[in-house]
Amino acid sequence: MRAAWYDRQGPAAEVIEIGELPTPEPGPGEVRVRLACSGVNPSDNKRRSGFGGQKMTAPRFVPHSDGAGIVDQVGAGADPALLGQRVWLFNGQRNGRNMGTAAEYITLDAWLVAPLPDDVSFAEGACLGIPAVTAHRALFADGPVTGKTVLVTGGAGAVGNYAIQLAKWGGAAQVIATVSSADKAKLAEAAGADLAVNYRTDDVAAAVMQATGGVGVDHVVEVAFGANQATTLAVLKTHGIVATYASDIDPTPTLAFYAFMRKNAVLRWVYMYEIPDTAFAQARDDITAWLASGPTQHPVARTFPLAETAAAHDYLDAGSATGTVLIAVDR
């Protein structure tokens, strides 16, 4: 099969190779997916570059955890009804697996694939995975959001976009998003945000408090915990929840301990690769139900052919992508 891979960590253009690798066969309880599209996530680039001291845990890595395609083989013990199904998949590199979705085929545990509705394209299905599961965990790990006010920072990002949509699907009464431009505000509003606040030009805390009648928000889905800590404290209700999945701008923030304690706040750390299997299964089922519930949005920043996987990594690293960067495996 054709695949992209790297045998050492470093800059994408220096380490990613394209060529032929053996086509995998499904083991017990596994399925094989003939991939149409592969999703590129920041965590894929961080692993490839060695960000934060990450090490090579195998001699070779085919990158990426997310993708979509058709189940073309079923291993012993897996449900034979999966054969021929259109699916989206998540955690292709679960528990350090080194064979991801930047290839024509992938094998993985059958429960890590989910049905893809006919009206959702393979490209859209490849956007799900890490972003949608992260958004689900950030929203629902501490209970339902029905009737609550939710603030989603970075509402035009891949996780933020899904957090807006899933919060609305989950019955949130009001969803407020922060964005960095007028165009991104349109994306957040199209996803269902009741209000999009431009954090570059507006006072976010003042705008949120005005929109909530001065009472603040129940739940924050946070992409920049350290940088936004003061604003979060200004708008968070007592007993509120802050679920954060990134803090790249300020990766070692000083925690305002007593300020959070006095609010009796819940601080939820969301690292998708370490959530319980039960949470993964619930996310899979809920996302599948949401997909079937009506029109859904899956912004794609740009699609590259498999031969240009290194360019896709560089494009994502440049920081200008709005939406998911995809690899068209069949191109």
Side-chain angles (χ1 to χ4, degrees), residues 23 35 70 73 85 98 121 144 157 174-175 178 201 211 215-216 221 230 267 269 274 278 305 308:
T23 302
L35 290 154
I70 295 175
Q73 284 192 9
Q85 278 199 17
N98 66 323
S121 70
Q174 185 179 28
V175 179
T178 65
T201 60
V215 300
V221 177
L267 299 183
W269 314 112
E274 293 295 337
T278 52
E308 297 178 16

Side-chain angles (χ1 to χ4, degrees), residues 19 38 44 63 72 82 109 116 125 136 142 173 223 250 331:
S38 172
D44 299 315
D72 80 326
L82 290 170
D109 291 342
L116 187 67
H136 182 278
D142 296 285
V223 68
D250 183 3
R331 278 170 44 189

Side-chain angles (χ1 to χ4, degrees), residues 132-149:
V133 173
T134 298
H136 182 278
R137 179 67 173 172
L139 284 167
F140 302 115
D142 296 285
V145 297
T146 306
K148 293 186 176 182
T149 298

Side-chain angles (χ1 to χ4, degrees), residues 169 283-294:
W169 173 82
R284 176 202 62 205
D285 293 347
D286 284 351
I287 292 166
T288 298
W290 164 68
L291 288 171
S293 69

Side-chain angles (χ1 to χ4, degrees), residues 25-92:
E25 300 291 330
E30 292 186 335
V31 296
R32 187 174 76 181
V33 179
R34 185 174 76 249
L35 290 154
C37 283
S38 172
V40 189
N41 287 284
S43 58
D44 299 315
N45 285 18
K46 290 174 180 178
R47 175 179 286 179
R48 184 260 306 150
S49 67
F51 176 86
Q54 295 186 66
K55 303 295 185 183
M56 292 282 290
T57 55
R60 170 169 291 169
F61 271 90
V62 172
H64 311 160
S65 286
D66 299 343
I70 295 175
V71 175
D72 80 326
Q73 284 192 9
V74 176
D79 185 357
L82 290 170
L83 188 63
Q85 278 199 17
R86 302 173 79 252
V87 296
W88 63 276
L89 63 91
F90 60 97
N91 253 3

Side-chain angles (χ1 to χ4, degrees), residues 9 35 52 58 68 75 79 145-146 152 158 163 196 219 231 255 264 278 286 288 300 303-304 307 311 317 325 331:
Q9 292 169 308
L35 290 154
D79 185 357
V145 297
T146 306
V152 177
H219 195 116
T231 299
L255 180 69
N264 206 36
T278 52
D286 284 351
T288 298
V300 173
T303 302
F304 293 79
D317 279 339
V325 177
R331 278 170 44 189

